[in-house]
Amino acid sequence: MRPPAMREVQFCFQCWPGGPVTPPPCRKCGSTQDYYTSGLCARCHTHAPGERSPVWRLPGPLAPPVVVVDSCPDCYAWGVTRTYGWLCSACRSWRETHRNADVCCTCGRRVALDETGSCRLCRKTRSLLAHELGQRTGAVDIADANRHGQQLFFAGMWHREGHGTRPYIKKTIPTDMSLLRPVSYRQLVFWDLPRDLESGLRNRFPPPPDPAREAAWHQFVREFADEHGWGINVTERTQRVIRMLQGMQDTPGAAIRASDVLPMSSIRHPVRPVLDVLAAAGMLADDRVPAVERWFTVQISTLPEEMRHELTVWFDVARNGSATPPRFRPRSERTVRSQLSFALPTVRCWAREHASLREISRDDVLAALPPSGSPRSCTLQGLRSIFRVLKARQLTFVNPAARISVPTPHLQAPPSIDLSALRAALDSQDPTCAALAALLAFHAIRIWQLCALHLTDLRDGRLHVDDRVIPLAVPVRLRLTAYLTCRQRSWPNTANPHLFIHYRNATTTRPVTPWWIRKRLGMNAQSIRQDRILDEAHASSGDVRLICDLFGLSVAGAYRYTATVDHAAVGEIATLNNVIKGVGDR
């Protein structure tokens, strides 16, 4: 009925032979009451009846005294247990923050003190008195507040009315989805200061001002998560972030800015799912600066002011195009980056002696161009693009890069690849790696086409890519079947329509990136494609039409591969075969 008195003894002190015997004092706290076992009382023993251990259920007077709750030794709050060493959660956090243990200058107890030399109980008593008087806490002297005694309380219940707890929101609020529309006005602020999110986690973010709009957001996120196969963890964290953003809005009901969502990653909350939900609801104000614009600003930061203005005009026209004469079609970000990268070293050299591109002459361009080869051609291409736009916008008098001929650089044959690494990728235990390698090694699919492939593009043993239908080889079919089985097993509820997905885009509808393909293969994917086309060019004796039909290349693109074939040797072999055939016929 009771635990034994000691580990080596089979009797308790009540049943001791010749007893009962008076238990000794606790060897830890010295208490002479509530002895439990092994020289410890029920308060100090780890396995004594309490919150985390089974209680000894004994009838009537045989039941030993059970210590379940007690008062906190620091603030005397009643209701603490052994869970945190008989400390309330507030004093436990106070001790972690304030590690200086000394005599309190107000009450004279030796406890953990803050930087002013006061304990938590004295500070709380002053806060209570200041609240009753309607004054600020700093306006009340801490010694005067504790002069006539201190107010005790229950553990975990020190909350004044209207503070500390989240207000109750009725869960049966009817969800009006029409509330998810941005309001037509916006409250301006005097200073747009960054939010202290860490402080928000410690002191709780302000609740949303409109419970009905919060309920509508909650319902919309849940429906969006069901459609996209989200887990409960992603769904709940997304709902929490949107609730925080509603509480921090300067204009309740306005579209939420992307610049307010991105800092949430600093407190380990999801960003991409939140942006997807906001965009789907039409409540996203995307004020993010594109990466190419940030890159462009950094690249021209060291140039003179006039050159920066001229290059900014070219950059705007190249990216967005121009509908006014002379008209320009917008270029892709990749093209804009490459053209500026080729021209920028030359422009920086000119910036040492010139303040504007208007001062550049034809002789300056000829002197700055590399001597020959691809560097000369690429540099001239970038300079032509810049001066063509500046001349059209009347920012330069002439185009100094016009009418400068550069011989077409010699097309080099694609480099050979490591066949052992390719075989390892084809025979990989990873179904994704094997499927990617098979499509590249057998059919030379373009990298951007691999990223954009949909599940519906694969049907009846054929791959439908743009306007081409590619009959798949048997090894490719086997590897794709294994990958599709793995895809269904890993993400059965995903709404992503693309063929290739991974754990990060499975909850979205975005395609994979070329970087992910290269990382998954462990080698350059473009090299595999080029090696496959080169092999077919040699196998077909340089048949340009065949290369164009098989791989969807233009004649100029196929010439790079067919030019590596020794056509003279191919003609001699064909003539020799005809001669042998004629001798055989005779």
Side-chain angles (χ1 to χ4, degrees), residues 268-290:
R268 298 185 178 183
H269 280 70
V271 170
R272 185 172 297 179
V274 176
L275 293 175
D276 291 342
V277 169
L278 294 176
M283 294 287 288
L284 177 64
D286 197 349
D287 56 348
R288 290 173 290 181
V289 179

Side-chain angles (χ1 to χ4, degrees), residues 518-530:
R518 182 173 65 253
K519 185 74 173 179
R520 207 61 184 256
L521 288 172
M523 58 188 306
N524 192 354
Q526 184 67 16
S527 299
I528 302 176
R529 164 181 159 80
Q530 292 176 351

Side-chain angles (χ1 to χ4, degrees), residues 200-215:
L201 287 180
R202 291 191 302 267
N203 304 319
R204 295 188 179 180
F205 286 85
D210 188 355
R213 183 175 283 109
E214 180 189 4

Side-chain angles (χ1 to χ4, degrees), residues 11-289:
F11 306 97
C12 64
F13 285 108
Q14 295 288 335
C15 303
W16 196 281
V21 178
T22 302
C26 176
R27 57 185 173 85
K28 187 173 183 180
C29 66
S31 174
T32 57
Q33 298 179 355
D34 301 332
Y35 182 88
Y36 186 66
T37 185
S38 300
L40 297 174
C41 64
R43 178 185 175 88
C44 298
H45 199 282
T46 306
H47 301 293
E51 188 178 61
R52 293 194 175 184
S53 60
V55 178
W56 293 81
R57 301 182 180 276
L58 300 179
L62 295 178
V66 177
V67 180
V68 178
V69 293
D70 205 339
S71 60
C72 176
D74 286 8
C75 66
Y76 302 132
W78 178 261
V80 299
T81 62
R82 190 184 297 106
T83 305
Y84 298 118
W86 303 104
L87 285 172
C88 66
S89 58
C91 286
R92 178 170 174 264
S93 176
W94 177 271
R95 284 191 180 186
E96 293 176 354
T97 308
H98 307 85
R99 300 185 179 275
N100 178 29
D102 206 342
V103 178
C104 178
C105 62
T106 305
C107 62
R109 298 181 302 126
R110 186 176 182 82
V111 288
L113 307 179
D114 63 356
E115 59 277 0
T116 62
S118 300
C119 65
R120 176 176 173 269
L121 179 59
C122 295
R123 289 173 58 91
K124 285 295 184 182
T125 304
R126 181 183 65 172
S127 299
L128 181 62
L129 180 61
H131 177 66
E132 293 175 354
L133 298 177
Q135 300 179 3
R136 293 186 298 106
T137 304
V140 179
D141 183 70
I142 190 170
D144 294 339
N146 291 271
R147 190 180 307 278
H148 302 290
Q150 296 170 321
Q151 175 65 50
L152 302 183
F153 46 90
F154 291 99
M157 297 183 66
W158 180 271
H159 297 297
R160 296 192 298 270
E161 182 180 358
H163 292 77
T165 58
R166 176 180 173 182
Y168 173 74
I169 298 177
K170 188 177 180 181
K171 299 300 188 295
T172 58
I173 294 178
T175 56
D176 185 5
M177 305 308 291
S178 63
L179 294 174
L180 301 185
R181 295 178 182 175
V183 296
S184 58
Y185 58 90
R186 182 175 290 275
Q187 176 64 49
L188 301 181
V189 294
F190 195 72
W191 282 304
D192 191 6
L193 300 177
R195 310 285 185 177
D196 188 358
L197 302 181
E198 295 289 346
S199 178
L201 287 180
R202 291 191 302 267
N203 304 319
R204 295 188 179 180
F205 286 85
D210 188 355
R213 183 175 283 109
E214 180 189 4
W217 269 117
H218 188 86
Q219 178 68 19
F220 183 83
V221 173
R222 187 164 56 248
E223 294 176 356
F224 188 87
D226 293 339
E227 293 175 1
H228 291 76
W230 289 4
I232 186 172
N233 185 33
V234 178
T235 305
E236 291 179 350
R237 289 170 66 85
T238 302
Q239 290 174 338
R240 182 183 181 188
V241 172
I242 291 181
R243 185 179 183 277
M244 295 176 184
L245 294 172
Q246 292 181 78
M248 293 188 299
Q249 273 190 303
D250 298 315
T251 307
I256 299 176
R257 298 179 300 179
S259 57
D260 294 334
V261 181
L262 297 178
M264 287 295 174
S265 61
S266 63
I267 56 175
R268 298 185 178 183
H269 280 70
V271 170
R272 185 172 297 179
V274 176
L275 293 175
D276 291 342
V277 169
L278 294 176
M283 294 287 288
L284 177 64
D286 197 349
D287 56 348
R288 290 173 290 181
V289 179

Side-chain angles (χ1 to χ4, degrees), residues 317-378:
V317 173
R319 285 195 67 229
N320 305 317
S322 176
T324 59
R327 296 180 175 88
F328 289 91
R329 290 184 178 179
R331 303 297 189 263
S332 65
E333 291 186 358
R334 184 176 179 180
T335 301
V336 174
R337 276 177 175 266
S338 63
Q339 289 179 348
L340 183 60
S341 299
F342 290 137
L344 202 55
T346 303
V347 174
R348 286 172 178 166
C349 292
W350 290 338
R352 300 170 185 171
E353 301 178 357
H354 304 279
S356 172
L357 293 177
R358 291 192 298 269
E359 304 174 7
I360 305 303
S361 63
R362 181 185 178 89
D363 295 336
D364 294 328
V365 175
L366 292 174
L369 288 177
S372 62
S374 296
R376 183 181 180 90
S377 176
C378 294

Side-chain angles (χ1 to χ4, degrees), residues 485-499:
T485 303
C486 177
R487 183 186 190 275
Q488 176 63 23
R489 183 173 60 252
S490 302
W491 304 285
N493 300 321
T494 180
N496 197 321
H498 294 90
L499 176 62

